Amino acid sequence: MTFAATILTLYPEMFPGPLGVSLAGRALAEGKWTCDPVQIRDFATDRHRSVDDTPAGGGAGMVMRADILARAVDHALEARPDSPLLAMTPRGAPLTQARVRQLAAGPGVTILCGRFEGIDERLFEARPIEPVSIGDYILSGGEMGALVLLDACIRLLPGVMGAPDSGDEESFESGLLEYPHYTRPAEWEGRTIPEVLRSGDHARIEAWRNAMAETDTRLRRPDLWERHEGARAQSPSGARRQKKER
Ligand code: SAH
């Protein structure tokens, strides 16, 4: 099945952009996904093809008009009725690996990219749009966010990544950061590779990796660690463990 990406944008020339090279580029050439950028201005109604207007209530910048965007969105919904419709906005739910997995398992995705101060809020009420954020910082437009989301999806498509299992142990897949990696040379600037990784003892290596994933998550991402521990305490095995500890 081909994963169909439709991107509604004022800058269609930004696509596939960096997704035209490396893994994603090869997958695109092989037809594992398609990239269909759509110019929002084509849905404008005036001579100047304008898509924005001044903010109601005053203030700086411009706001993208709901009526023009709705025409673009409706066109995309008609072309791809099964694809989830997402809009890039810092006001959206933060993108997670779990959501990326769901999207990658589906028929594709339609992504609306904002510019200026953002999108008239009425569009979100009137159309089935999932607002998505890629993090707590402000980009100049939704296009980079769309590229991030698509890259995360494309690498999960069947046959895109070399090894079928690579990815299963990755950061976030288990709710934790991944363990740290090392490779040759065995000694570099006086630093060696942890002894256990050279032991050939697979059980010890796995135990070490699990311990490192836990320690690093606890130290670097207390937010993730808290969620992980909360989930563990609630699971049947976690509950048993807690009882035993008491
Ligand atoms: N005034 C807005 C920011 C607008 S930035 C606010 O403060 O909420 C312009 C566009 O960039 C947005 O419409 C959105 O499409 C995109 N964008 C900016 N930051 C983003 C983020 N963290 N995640 C997803 N999209 C973002």
Side-chain angles (χ1 to χ4, degrees):
M1 203 179 61
T2 300
F3 182 86
T6 305
I7 307 103
L8 309 178
T9 170
L10 291 174
Y11 298 96
E13 63 275 22
M14 287 180 74
F15 297 89
L19 299 180
V21 300
S22 190
L23 280 185
R26 198 172 329 130
L28 183 61
E30 290 169 359
K32 296 199 170 85
W33 70 286
T34 57
C35 184
D36 186 16
V38 175
Q39 172 57 268
I40 294 170
R41 278 194 203 285
D42 290 348
F43 299 88
T45 46
D46 65 333
R47 212 157 46 88
H48 304 290
R49 308 217 300 159
S50 54
V51 295
D52 56 330
D53 211 328
T54 53
M62 299 294 271
V63 176
M64 295 181 90
R65 282 169 51 164
D67 55 342
I68 309 297
L69 291 183
R71 285 158 54 94
V73 159
D74 290 344
H75 172 84
L77 280 175
E78 206 169 296
R80 304 243 172 239
D82 299 335
S83 282
L85 174 58
L86 276 48
M88 285 293 148
T89 163
R91 284 163 48 85
L95 186 63
T96 61
Q97 186 64 13
R99 185 68 185 120
V100 164
R101 269 205 182 277
Q102 288 172 347
L103 291 171
V109 65
T110 299
I111 309 173
L112 172 61
C113 300
R115 279 273 159 179
F116 320 122
E117 287 309 315
I119 297 165
D120 187 313
E121 190 63 21
R122 290 170 295 178
L123 185 74
F124 293 97
E125 297 160 10
R127 295 293 183 277
I129 299 176
E130 177 184 336
V132 173
S133 164
I134 64 154
D136 292 341
Y137 40 80
I138 304 296
L139 306 170
S140 55
E143 288 78 9
M144 295 286 193
L147 290 167
V148 165
L149 186 148
L150 290 173
D151 180 70
C153 289
I154 290 160
R155 62 188 285 284
L156 295 179
L157 299 178
V160 171
M161 264 191 313
D165 307 336
S166 67
D168 287 359
E169 291 190 10
E170 225 107 37
S171 291
F172 313 121
E173 292 290 355
S174 61
L176 298 175
L177 301 180
E178 201 187 35
Y179 49 81
H181 296 281
Y182 299 86
T183 187
R184 280 182 281 271
E187 190 181 327
W188 172 72
E189 293 193 352
R191 293 160 198 278
T192 55
I193 292 173
E195 183 279 325
V196 55
L197 297 180
R198 290 175 290 148
S199 69
D201 180 339
H202 295 296
R204 260 184 76 211
I205 291 173
E206 198 191 328
W208 180 85
R209 285 179 167 168
N210 288 340
M212 288 304 285
E214 294 198 355
T215 308
D216 285 352
T217 305
R218 194 156 33 81
L219 294 177
R220 296 173 179 212
R221 291 292 303 273
D223 57 323
L224 277 186
W225 180 248
E226 216 169 277
R227 215 177 311 152
H228 176 75
E229 284 299 274
R232 211 156 65 161
Q234 268 172 19
S235 77
S237 58
R240 259 204 308 282
R241 187 171 40 244
Q242 269 205 337
K243 231 183 238 163
K244 235 192 257 161
E245 279 167 5
R246 248 184 254 137

